[in-house]
Amino acid sequence: MAQENSKRSPSQIKYSRVKSIIRLFVFLVFLGLLFIFIMMPTTTFKHKWIPKIEAKTISTYFGVQGFIILIYTFPSLLIATLGCVYIHITKKSNEIGNGKKHESTIWKRPLLVKGPLGVVSMTEIAFLLMFIALLVWTLATYLHNDFVAIASSPKEEDDPKVWEEKLESVGLRLGLVGNICLVLLFFPVTRGTSVLPMFGLTSEGCIKYHIWLGHVLMTIFTVHGICYIIYWTSTNQISQMLKWDKVGISNVAGEISLLAGLFLWVATISKIRRKFFELFFYTHNLYIIFIIFFIFHVGISFAYIMFPGFYLFMVDRYLRFLQSRCEVRLVSSRVLPCEVVELNFSKDHELSYNPTSVMFINVPNISKLQWHPFTITSNSNLEQDKLSVVIKSGGTWTQKLYQLLSNPSPIDRFQISVEGPYGPASTNYLRHDTLVMISGGSGITPFISIIRELVYLSTTFKCKTPNILLICSFKNTSSLSMLDLILPISSTPQDISNMQLQIEAYITRDKEFKPDIPIHPQTLWFKPNQTDTPIHAILGPNGWIWLSAIISSSFTIFLIIIGIITRYYIFPIDHNTNMIFSYPLRSFLHILVVCVSIIVVSSVVVLSNKKQNAKEAKQIQNMEGSTPTVSPNSLTYNADRELESFPYQSLVQATNVHYGARPDLSRLLLDIKGLSVGVFASGPKQLRQNVATICSSGIAENLHFESISFTW
């Protein structure tokens, strides 16, 4: 430890201590929240703890919702707020290569490779089993207590039969268990969240958790609805399906919520999602109806249990909406013969992001509603004024984009809006002796950003970078043009000769090199409008601090406003009985105040940053005033300049092309020596599974697997 501290500056040591304190505090809050969920179905919690907590928290300002907000909503938002501070400190400390060398990653090793869950590590399996155990414990405890009460209660002639009472109990308790899934459902899809990065996770990497939770949630809620329909039918109460009372549970609202969820759920079936992506995309917006009517169904008091995740999602969604209102400056594009395009945007110099980040893009000329995520290939430190994404023509949307950009008649300006970038809060590729990157097709794009990051570390900090082995598979010779994207368009070529870079490219369909097939990209320059802005962080360079301010301030304002409404409007009618004032109206008021609080605070923060962004955009615009424009007849790639450059020659020398063959991954991986070999796989599912199988076989203990998927 003393040797580690001697390598770090005093400020880095201070930052590290603050981060440790935050981590410890967040861990304790999380344990407390988990303990509450474990105790929630017990009679101790219901008959002893809740009355004591309510006695101290119930007031004329917050009513019976006060204790639920205190023990369920507040801790989660506190974790999110502290997470923002934690990530800000992590970026501020900017520790290069301070991760543990050759750190053990046994818990990250793939345990399950093939199956419905995909590639799953030991850690993921452990947490999945604990989550299932929590659901089973909750349901079993609830049912045990209910069945004991049913068995001991006296029966009258008109009472439902025992099995009917038990069926109703099962339906009710399944609804409560499903709410636990709803608590976590929105965290993985909150792209700008601070909760996931605190635990070394990214939103894209956690999408599979959202999918798992969605399947479990809809299964439980569907059975919940079926149980009640059977119960009402057997007890001649089918008219209950039309019940929407002023006070209590609203069955109609629950049915509307369930139907919206079922439509959404059906559209997520793999075959439907792939063949009819637009249907999947648009039906997913039914989540709004699903959540709103869920709140109307259960009442706002119970909804506050699941509310933190949705609250953070609303904050993120509104910030994304504000960012998407601006049209960004597209400077140039590189059109590859393999139906791939690289889009090069102007960006704010202070905008930083890490390798493997993604950005969502909207092109109104193709679709005003569709947003698609693409991997960022540029490096924010190496290319401070440019941000690049690579797009492979595949579906309908990407095919239209490629056709627009490869049109013989060049386009002067392209109208584009973006959301992001989103990516890992920190990376440390220097912890490995060797990096092996295995890609299939367009799966090479995240590796371009990693290689550029290592180029930056090597040239700027003179760091000893790991040996790099890039194994890439393509269908045709024309796809070799994607290797040209490893080198950015730059007036200052980067020296990569000092890097130990080896590229093994496999062309599976062509048996030999075809000289008549073009393999170099064409560059097209655009003429942006003065209103087009460089891509910038919506909350500025100190975005995480501003986000913590938005979360804490908006929630505080919400509490103040809802406290006033409760005290002077709801309390005089209801007197904290929760039996007089309209449930739907109460829920509507709470939803309205939440939305207003988020919109007002977020808008003020964004507008306060907008002036600064406008000044910087004007400076960049003046710098780019001399951007060369290209006539239609000169829409060609400047091959002579690139081919003669020293970095390009180094890249060519490092590349071996194999025609008519597929890589023998087992041989290639097992032959690699070194104490720590980071193995990254990106591309088709089958490829990632094959690589994971090799790394988890136990034959080579030095292989540490990481999968990069395109789940989004």
Side-chain angles (χ1 to χ4, degrees):
M1 179 63 72
Q3 289 181 348
E4 279 188 27
N5 287 339
S6 64
K7 296 178 181 179
R8 297 188 294 177
S9 65
S11 62
Q12 288 178 332
I13 295 174
K14 180 184 68 175
Y15 286 139
S16 180
R17 289 173 179 171
V18 174
K19 286 167 60 179
S20 298
I21 294 172
I22 293 176
R23 275 199 305 265
L24 177 61
F25 184 77
V26 166
F27 179 70
L28 294 176
V29 173
F30 174 76
L31 284 183
L33 197 56
L34 180 61
F35 181 69
I36 290 174
F37 274 99
I38 293 173
M39 293 299 297
M40 188 167 61
T42 63
T43 54
T44 301
F45 183 80
K46 181 179 180 180
H47 298 299
K48 294 183 179 180
W49 292 5
I50 287 183
K52 291 181 180 179
I53 298 174
E54 282 185 333
K56 295 182 179 181
T57 58
I58 195 168
S59 68
T60 58
Y61 289 95
F62 299 105
V64 295
Q65 294 84 30
F67 92 94
I68 299 180
I69 294 175
L70 177 64
I71 66 175
Y72 291 107
T73 307
F74 176 74
S76 298
L77 296 184
L78 177 62
I79 289 175
T81 303
L82 292 175
C84 293
V85 178
Y86 179 88
I87 299 172
H88 175 78
I89 294 174
T90 300
K91 295 183 67 175
K92 201 78 174 177
S93 61
N94 193 29
E95 298 182 30
I96 303 296
N98 281 330
K100 293 181 181 179
K101 194 75 173 177
H102 309 150
E103 63 180 344
S104 175
T105 55
I106 184 172
W107 283 97
K108 295 183 180 180
R109 285 185 179 274
L111 185 63
L112 297 179
V113 175
K114 296 182 180 180
L117 299 182
V119 179
V120 185
S121 68
M122 294 177 65
T123 303
E124 291 171 329
I125 288 293
F127 277 99
L128 178 61
L129 292 176
M130 286 190 288
F131 179 72
I132 294 174
L134 175 62
L135 297 184
V136 172
W137 155 260
T138 303
L139 180 61
T141 306
Y142 272 135
L143 292 181
H144 171 74
N145 295 333
D146 288 352
F147 288 177
V148 169
I150 291 171
S152 60
S153 63
K155 299 293 184 297
E156 297 183 6
E157 186 177 348
D158 296 335
D159 287 344
K161 299 176 182 178
V162 172
W163 73 268
E164 291 172 339
E165 291 186 59
K166 290 184 176 180
L167 179 64
E168 183 191 21
S169 172
V170 171
L172 172 63
R173 299 313 179 183
L174 282 173
L176 299 180
V177 171
N179 192 52
I180 297 177
C181 298
L182 200 54
V183 169
L184 302 174
L185 185 67
F186 286 92
F187 281 103
V189 290
T190 305
R191 300 174 194 165
T193 181
S194 60
V195 178
L196 299 179
M198 269 201 77
F199 299 97
L201 303 172
T202 63
S203 183
E204 182 183 9
C206 292
I207 289 295
K208 61 181 178 182
Y209 308 144
H210 174 75
I211 296 172
W212 298 351
L213 288 167
H215 287 313
V216 176
L217 170 74
M218 287 311 304
T219 300
I220 292 175
F221 278 175
T222 301
V223 178
H224 161 76
I226 292 173
C227 286
Y228 268 101
I229 292 174
I230 295 174
Y231 172 76
W232 291 330
T233 303
S234 64
T235 56
N236 299 317
Q237 300 182 68
I238 198 66
S239 61
Q240 288 287 321
M241 292 187 67
L242 302 178
K243 177 185 175 183
W244 192 323
D245 290 342
K246 178 181 176 181
V247 175
I249 298 295
S250 169
N251 295 334
V252 174
E255 291 151 13
I256 295 173
S257 176
L258 180 58
L259 286 174
L262 287 174
F263 278 117
L264 189 155
W265 192 24
V266 169
T268 62
I269 297 174
S270 181
K271 292 183 179 179
I272 296 177
R273 187 179 72 247
R274 292 176 181 176
K275 291 185 178 180
F276 308 100
F277 178 79
E278 287 79 7
L279 176 65
F280 161 78
F281 179 85
Y282 293 122
T283 54
H284 235 64
N285 292 309
L286 289 173
Y287 77 87
I288 300 173
I289 296 176
F290 174 79
I291 288 295
I292 290 177
F293 282 92
F294 171 82
I295 295 174
F296 284 148
H297 172 56
V298 301
I300 192 64
S301 298
F302 184 76
Y304 273 120
I305 297 176
M306 52 71 59
F307 207 64
F310 189 64
Y311 188 93
L312 296 174
F313 175 80
M314 286 194 293
V315 171
D316 177 72
R317 186 65 191 87
Y318 183 66
L319 290 175
R320 289 194 280 121
F321 168 78
L322 293 178
Q323 185 183 22
S324 66
R325 295 307 92 193
C326 301
E327 293 180 2
V328 296
R329 179 168 302 182
L330 179 62
V331 178
S332 66
S333 70
R334 286 201 279 184
V335 182
L336 281 62
C338 57
E339 297 191 346
V340 171
V341 294
E342 179 191 56
L343 303 180
N344 300 300
F345 300 91
S346 172
K347 86 169 185 70
D348 178 20
H349 286 238
E350 294 185 336
L351 173 63
S352 62
Y353 47 86
N354 285 312
T356 71
S357 295
V358 298
M359 186 171 68
F360 284 73
I361 293 179
N362 171 260
V363 181
N365 290 343
I366 300 176
S367 173
K368 293 183 178 180
L369 298 177
Q370 289 189 35
W371 290 80
H372 294 266
F374 299 101
T375 306
I376 298 174
T377 55
S378 54
N379 181 273
S380 59
N381 297 306
L382 200 62
E383 304 151 87
Q384 295 188 353
D385 60 349
K386 182 171 69 71
L387 184 150
S388 304
V389 297
V390 172
I391 302 172
K392 169 69 174 177
S393 177
T396 304
W397 191 92
T398 52
Q399 286 176 354
K400 290 180 179 179
L401 177 65
Y402 183 79
Q403 290 170 2
L404 287 172
L405 293 173
S406 60
N407 195 309
S409 301
I411 303 172
D412 286 340
R413 177 180 178 268
F414 219 62
Q415 187 179 359
I416 291 183
S417 298
V418 302
E419 292 178 358
Y422 306 104
S426 62
T427 57
N428 182 15
Y429 301 107
L430 302 182
R431 69 181 185 274
H432 297 295
D433 298 316
T434 302
L435 292 181
V436 182
M437 307 174 192
I438 305 171
S439 68
S442 59
I444 193 176
T445 52
F447 299 149
I448 295 174
S449 64
I450 295 176
I451 292 174
R452 292 189 186 182
E453 170 74 3
L454 295 174
V455 170
Y456 167 72
L457 295 177
S458 174
T459 56
T460 306
F461 295 98
K462 307 302 179 184
C463 295
K464 184 183 183 304
T465 57
N467 299 330
I468 304 172
L469 173 59
L470 174 61
I471 305 172
C472 47
S473 299
F474 303 112
K475 292 180 180 179
N476 305 307
T477 302
S478 61
S479 297
L480 287 173
S481 56
M482 295 194 70
L483 297 179
D484 283 358
L485 301 180
I486 294 176
L487 299 175
I489 300 177
S490 175
S491 57
T492 307
Q494 301 295 327
D495 184 9
I496 63 172
S497 60
N498 294 328
M499 296 182 60
Q500 300 299 317
L501 173 62
Q502 179 184 352
I503 302 175
E504 300 293 334
Y506 291 81
I507 310 300
T508 58
R509 292 186 179 177
D510 294 342
K511 302 300 181 182
E512 59 184 8
F513 176 70
K514 296 183 178 180
D516 57 325
I517 297 179
I519 60 172
H520 297 298
Q522 296 178 325
T523 302
L524 173 65
W525 297 91
F526 297 100
K527 299 177 182 178
N529 281 351
Q530 292 184 353
T531 55
D532 294 344
T533 61
I535 297 175
H536 60 270
I538 187 64
L539 297 178
N542 296 315
W544 288 109
I545 291 297
W546 283 115
L547 181 58
S548 68
I550 290 174
I551 295 172
S552 56
S553 300
S554 62
F555 186 64
T556 302
I557 292 173
F558 158 74
L559 291 177
I560 293 172
I561 296 176
I562 209 65
I564 294 173
I565 292 175
T566 302
R567 174 64 182 85
Y568 296 103
Y569 178 49
I570 298 177
F571 178 77
I573 299 173
D574 192 78
H575 301 289
N576 279 347
T577 63
N578 213 31
M579 298 296 293
I580 302 174
F581 194 84
S582 169
Y583 272 39
L585 180 56
R586 188 197 300 263
S587 299
F588 171 77
L589 290 173
H590 280 247
I591 294 172
L592 179 64
V593 174
V594 164
C595 293
V596 169
S597 301
I598 291 174
I599 290 172
V600 170
V601 174
S602 300
S603 299
V604 169
V605 172
V606 170
L607 289 174
S608 67
N609 282 281
K610 197 170 183 179
K611 291 184 179 180
Q612 183 64 27
N613 291 331
K615 291 180 181 179
E616 294 174 356
K618 190 173 182 180
Q619 293 175 355
I620 294 176
Q621 180 181 339
N622 294 334
M623 293 172 60
E624 294 178 346
S626 58
T627 299
T629 57
V630 189
S631 65
N633 296 328
S634 60
L635 182 58
T636 57
Y637 178 75
N638 194 344
D640 293 338
R641 175 177 61 84
E642 294 290 346
L643 292 175
E644 292 175 359
S645 67
F646 182 71
Y648 187 86
Q649 292 299 323
S650 299
L651 187 65
V652 171
Q653 293 173 6
T655 304
N656 297 318
V657 182
H658 310 268
Y659 289 94
R662 296 181 181 275
D664 185 350
L665 297 177
S666 180
R667 179 184 60 81
L668 290 170
L669 289 174
L670 297 178
D671 286 348
I672 298 175
K673 307 301 180 184
L675 294 177
S676 177
V677 179
V679 182
F680 298 81
S682 174
K685 181 180 179 180
Q686 185 65 44
L687 171 70
R688 289 181 276 120
Q689 289 179 340
N690 291 340
V691 176
T693 301
I694 298 170
C695 294
S696 60
S697 63
I699 299 175
E701 295 294 333
N702 61 342
L703 301 180
H704 305 291
F705 173 79
E706 289 191 39
S707 175
I708 301 176
S709 65
F710 298 98
T711 313
W712 260 342

